[in-house]
C-alpha cells in the first residue's frame, strides 16, 4: 500500500500545483494579487528489508511570493507621489487662476492701469472724465484683488471639505484592515490558507497609502499594526478613528475622535498634501497677496487722507473703518501725532493743530482731544471717528504750508508759500545777520538752518526787493516785507512731508480711497465712488495743485518696506515667479518619485507578478507529473493483480 500511497501523493501534489497555477493565471490581471507557489517536500520514509523507501511527496501549502521590505517602500513612495499629485494639481490651478501669462485681465495689469489713470488725472485734476477713469481703474484693481482673494479663501474651504472626505475614507479602510486582521488570525490558527486574505488586506493598505502616510509592523499570526502620524490606528482588531479639526492658530489637522489634540504634522497621501497646501503653501500665497493688498491700501490711503479733492476742505467727515478698544489693538497705529489744518472761512485765518496719539488711548479719547480744538468737534459713532466743523470753519489734514511763520520775533511781515516736496518733516530756522532796513544794507542776510545745521544763507539787503520770493529749498519759499531788522532776530517755518506719523487717520478711514483688511475685502470707499470730487489730488494751500496725485504716482516706483523693499509690481511679479518656481520644484520631485515608483513596481512584478508563459511551462511539468503518477499507479495495480493470480 505504500507504493500506492506514493502514487496518490504525487497525484495530489500535481493536482494542487495545477490548481495554484490556474489561480495564478486567473488573477494575472488582478490588482494587488501576489503570485503563489506550491511548497512540496519529500514525505516520510520507511524501511523494507534494510532498504529505505520514500513515502512520496507532501504538500506543505502555497506561499505568496512577496518581499516585505519592497512592499513597505512601495507604500511609502505611493504615499509621497499621491501627496505631490494633490499639491501640484492645486498649485497649477492657482497659477492658471492668476493668469499672469495672459496678455490682459491680470492683477499686475490692474496695478499698472491704476497708476496710469493717476497720471492722466494729474494733467487735469478737476476733469470728471479723468476722475471717472481713475474710479474705474481703482474698481478694476479692487475686483482683481477680490477675485484672487476670494478664490484662495474658497480653495481653503474646499481643501477642508476634501480633507474631511479623505478622513472618512481613511476610517473606512482602517476598519476594513482591522477586520481583515481578525479574519487572518483566526484562519491561521486553524492552519488555513490566508494568501487571498492577505492580498485583500494589502490592497486596502495600498489604497490607504494613497490617502495618508502609514507605518506597518508585522505581528504574530499574520496580523499587522498601523501607525498614522505617530498614532497607533490599528492594533490587531483594535481601531482608532479620526476627524478633521483646527489648532488654536486655525491650522487644519487630524484629531482622534473624542480627543482634543490636533496633529498638523501629517505627511503623505492626499490628506498630507491637503494639509500641506492649507497650512503652508496656499496659506503662504494668501499671506503674500494680503500683504500686497494691505500695503497698497495703507500707502495710497496715507497720501489720500492728507490730500483734498476738487470739493476742497471738509465741514464734516466720518471714518469708514471701525476701531474698538484701545488703539494698541490695531497694528497700523502707533504712538505719534497727527495734524489738523483748521480754517476760519470768514477771516481766512488758517492754523495747524496737533493731536497727540497714544496707543493706550481709545477712539473716544482722540475725539475728546479733537473737541479741544477751536472750531471742531470730535465724536465716535458705531466705533467710527467723526469730525464736525463749527459754522464758518472747515478742516483738512493736508501738509499745506501756513501763510506765515510758525514763530517769529521780527517786527516786519514774513510770508510763506509753495508746496513742500521733501521727504521728511522739518523746521527751518531763519536768523537775521546784520542790523538795518530790508533792501538797504549790503551785509544784511538770513542764515537758514535745520536742527542747528546751516543749510543756506540768503541776501535780504542791497539787491533784494522787499516781497520777492526766496526759495529755502524743495519748493518752499519765503518773502520778507519792508522794514527794519535786528541782528539775531529769527523766525521758523515748519514744513510737513506727512501730517500723521501715528497712522491713525488712514487706519480709521478718514478721507481714504480704499478700505479693507486684505485682498478679499479691499474696496473703493463709498464716499469717493459717490462723489468724484472727493478723489484727493491737492496738498497745497490753494487746493488747485496736483501734489497729492504726484505722491501717489511716485508710489509706482517706490520700494515698500513691508514688501521686502520692492515696488508693488515687482513684488507681485516675484510672488508669481516664486509660485512658478515652487511648481517646477514639485514637478521635479514628482518625476523623481515616479521614476522610483516605476522601478519598485518592476521589482515587485519580477517577484510577485504572474508571468503567464512561466505558469504555462510549470503547468506542463505538473501535467506530466500527474500523467507519470497515474502510469505509476497503473503499474502497481498490474503488479498486484499478477501477484494475486499467482497466489
Amino acid at each position: 500500500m505504500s507504493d500506492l500511497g506514493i502514487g496518490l501523493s504525487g497525484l495530489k501534489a500535481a493536482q494542487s500545483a495545477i490548481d495554484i497555477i490556474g489561480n495564478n493565471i486567473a488573477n494575472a490581471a488582478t490588482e494587488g494579487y501576489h503570485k503563489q507557489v506550491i511548497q512540496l517536500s519529500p514525505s516520510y520514509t520507511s524501511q523494507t528489508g534494510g532498504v529505505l523507501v520514500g513515502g512520496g511527496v507532501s504538500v506543505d501549502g502555497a506561499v505568496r511570493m512577496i518581499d516585505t521590505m519592497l512592499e513597505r517602500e512601495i507604500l511609502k513612495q505611493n504615499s509621497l507621489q499621491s501627496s505631490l499629485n494633490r499639491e501640484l494639481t492645486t498649485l497649477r490651478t492657482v497659477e492658471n487662476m492668476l493668469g499672469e501669462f495672459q496678455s490682459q485681465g491680470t492683477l499686475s495689469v490692474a496695478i499698472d492701469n491704476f497708476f496710469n489713470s493717476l497720471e492722466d488725472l494729474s494733467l487735469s485734476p478737476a476733469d470728471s472724465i479723468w476722475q471717472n477713469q481713475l474710479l474705474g481703474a481703482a474698481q478694476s484693481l479692487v475686483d482683481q484683488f477680490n477675485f484672487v482673494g476670494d478664490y484662495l479663501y474658497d480653495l481653503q474651504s474646499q481643501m477642508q471639505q476634501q480633507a474631511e472626505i479623505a478622513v472618512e475614507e481613511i476610517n473606512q479602510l482602517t476598519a476594513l484592515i482591522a477586520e481583515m486582521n481578525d479574519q487572518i488570525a483566526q484562519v491561521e490558527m486553524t492552519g488555513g490558507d490566508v494568501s487571498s486574505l492577505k492580498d485583500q488586506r494589502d490592497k486596502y493598505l495600498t489604497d490607504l497609502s494613497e490617502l495618508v502616510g502609514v507605518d506597518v509592523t508585522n505581528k504574530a499570526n499574520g496580523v499587522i499594526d498601523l501607525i498614522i502620524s505617530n498614532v497607533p490606528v490599528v492594533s490587531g482588531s483594535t481601531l482608532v478613528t479620526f476627524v478633521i479639526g483646527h489648532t488654536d492658530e486655525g491650522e487644519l489637522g487630524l484629531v482622534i475622535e473624542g480627543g482634543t489634540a490636533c496633529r498638523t504634522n501629517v505627511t503623505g497621501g492626499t490628506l498630507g498634501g491637503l494639509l500641506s497646501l492649507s497650512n503652508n503653501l496656499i496659506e503662504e500665497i494668501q499671506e503674500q497677496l494680503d500683504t500686497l493688498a494691505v500695503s497698497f491700501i495703507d500707502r495710497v490711503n496715507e497720501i489720500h487722507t492728507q490730500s483734498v479733492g476738487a470739493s476742497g476742505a471738509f465741514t464734516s467727515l466720518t471714518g469708514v473703518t471701525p476701531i474698538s478698544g484701545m488703539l494698541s489693538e490695531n497694528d497700523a497705529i502707533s504712538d505719534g501725532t497727527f495734524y489738523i489744518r483748521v480754517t476760519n472761512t470768514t477771516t481766512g485765518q488758517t492754523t495747524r493743530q496737533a493731536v497727540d496719539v497714544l496707543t493706550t488711548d481709545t477712539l473716544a479719547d482722540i475725539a475728546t482731544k479733537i473737541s479741544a480744538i477751536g472750531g471742531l468737534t470730535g465724536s465716535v459713532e458705531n466705533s467710527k471717528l467723526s469730525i464736525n466743523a463749527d459754522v464758518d470753519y472747515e478742516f483738512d489734514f493736508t501738509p499745506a504750508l501756513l501763510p506765515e511763520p510758525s514763530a517769529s520775533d521780527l517786527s516786519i511781515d514774513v510770508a510763506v508759500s509753495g508746496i513742500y516736496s521733501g521727504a521728511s518733516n522739518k523746521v527751518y530756522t531763519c536768523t537775521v545777520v546784520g542790523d538795518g532796513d530790508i533792501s538797504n544794507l549790503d551785509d544784511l542776510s538770513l542764515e537758514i538752518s535745520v536742527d542747528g545745521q546751516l543749510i543756506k544763507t540768503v541776501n535780504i539787503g542791497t539787491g533784494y526787493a522787499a516781497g520777492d520770493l526766496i526759495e529755502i529749498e524743495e519748493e518752499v519759499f519765503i518773502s520778507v516785507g519792508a522794514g527794519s531788522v535786528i541782528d539775531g532776530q529769527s523766525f521758523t517755518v515748519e514744513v510737513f512731508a506727512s501730517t500723521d506719523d501715528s497712522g491713525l487717520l488712514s487706519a480709521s478711514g478718514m478721507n481714504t480711497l480704499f478700505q479693507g483688511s486684505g485682498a478679499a475685502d479691499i474696496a473703493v470707499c463709498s464716499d469717493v465712488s459717490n462723489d468724484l470730487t472727493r478723489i484727493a489730488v491737492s496738498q497745497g494751500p490753494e487746493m488747485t495743485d496736483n501734489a497729492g496725485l504726484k505722491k501717489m504716482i511716485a508710489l509706482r516706483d517706490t520700494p515698500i518696506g513691508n514688501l521686502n523693499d520692492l515696488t508693488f509690481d515687482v513684488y507681485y511679479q516675484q510672488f508669481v515667479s516664486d509660485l512658478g518656481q515652487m511648481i517646477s520644484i514639485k514637478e521635479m520631485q514628482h518625476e523623481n518619485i515616479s521614476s522610483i515608483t516605476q522601478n519598485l513596481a518592476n521589482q515587485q512584478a519580477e517577484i510577485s507578478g504572474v508571468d503567464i508563459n512561466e505558469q504555462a511551462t510549470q503547468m506542463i511539468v505538473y501535467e506530466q507529473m500527474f500523467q507519470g503518477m497515474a502510469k505509476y499507479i497503473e503499474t502497481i495495480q498490474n503488479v498486484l493483480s499478477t501477484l494475486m493470480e499467482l497466489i
Side-chain angles (χ1 to χ4, degrees), residues 299-331:
R299 294 308 299 270
V300 171
N301 282 350
E302 180 183 351
I303 297 170
H304 198 276
T305 196
Q306 297 177 36
S307 308
V308 293
S311 56
F314 310 103
T315 57
S316 179
L317 189 63
T318 299
V320 298
T321 307
I323 298 177
S324 57
M326 289 197 301
L327 301 182
S328 58
E329 297 175 16
N330 189 307
D331 294 337

Side-chain angles (χ1 to χ4, degrees), residues 541-557:
E542 302 301 322
M543 302 184 187
T544 56
D545 60 277
N546 61 1
L549 286 173
K550 285 183 177 180
K551 287 185 178 181
M552 283 189 273
I553 292 167
L555 290 176
R556 168 184 255 162
D557 302 314

Side-chain angles (χ1 to χ4, degrees), residues 419-618:
I419 300 176
Y420 177 57
S421 60
S424 61
N425 297 354
K426 294 179 181 178
V427 177
Y428 296 107
T429 300
C430 305
T431 305
V432 175
V433 178
D435 296 312
D437 293 335
I438 299 297
S439 306
N440 292 325
L441 187 67
D442 289 342
D443 295 329
L444 195 60
S445 62
L446 283 175
E447 288 185 344
I448 304 173
S449 62
V450 175
D451 295 330
Q453 298 294 317
L454 181 66
I455 63 168
K456 197 172 193 179
T457 299
V458 296
N459 173 49
I460 57 172
T462 303
Y464 173 76
D468 282 354
L469 293 179
I470 301 170
E471 183 174 11
I472 295 179
E473 66 171 358
E474 296 175 313
E475 299 183 49
V476 177
F477 299 89
I478 58 172
S479 61
V480 182
S484 180
V485 292
I486 301 172
D487 185 55
Q489 288 183 322
S490 66
F491 62 89
T492 57
V493 177
E494 195 171 9
V495 296
F496 292 86
S498 172
T499 57
D500 181 15
D501 60 10
S502 70
L504 182 135
L505 292 176
S506 58
S508 59
M510 301 294 285
N511 188 35
T512 51
L513 178 58
F514 296 108
Q515 65 185 85
S517 58
D521 65 352
I522 182 176
V524 177
C525 292
S526 59
D527 287 348
V528 174
S529 59
N530 293 335
D531 182 1
L532 296 181
T533 64
R534 286 284 300 274
I535 296 176
V537 296
S538 305
Q539 291 192 333
E542 302 301 322
M543 302 184 187
T544 56
D545 60 277
N546 61 1
L549 286 173
K550 285 183 177 180
K551 287 185 178 181
M552 283 189 273
I553 292 167
L555 290 176
R556 168 184 255 162
D557 302 314
T558 301
I560 309 298
N562 292 344
L563 303 181
N564 303 324
D565 290 324
L566 301 174
T567 63
F568 296 122
D569 189 59
V570 172
Y571 178 85
Y572 180 68
Q573 292 298 337
Q574 181 171 304
F575 155 65
V576 175
S577 176
D578 288 346
L579 175 59
Q581 186 176 10
M582 185 192 305
I583 292 173
S584 296
I585 292 172
K586 295 288 182 184
E587 287 175 338
M588 191 184 313
Q589 293 172 340
H590 188 267
E591 275 185 34
N592 292 337
I593 291 177
S594 295
S595 177
I596 293 171
T597 302
Q598 184 59 52
N599 184 44
L600 293 173
N602 292 339
Q603 294 180 52
Q604 184 190 46
E606 291 177 5
I607 296 171
S608 305
V610 176
D611 183 334
I612 294 179
N613 293 327
E614 177 192 16
Q615 297 295 306
T617 300
Q618 290 186 7

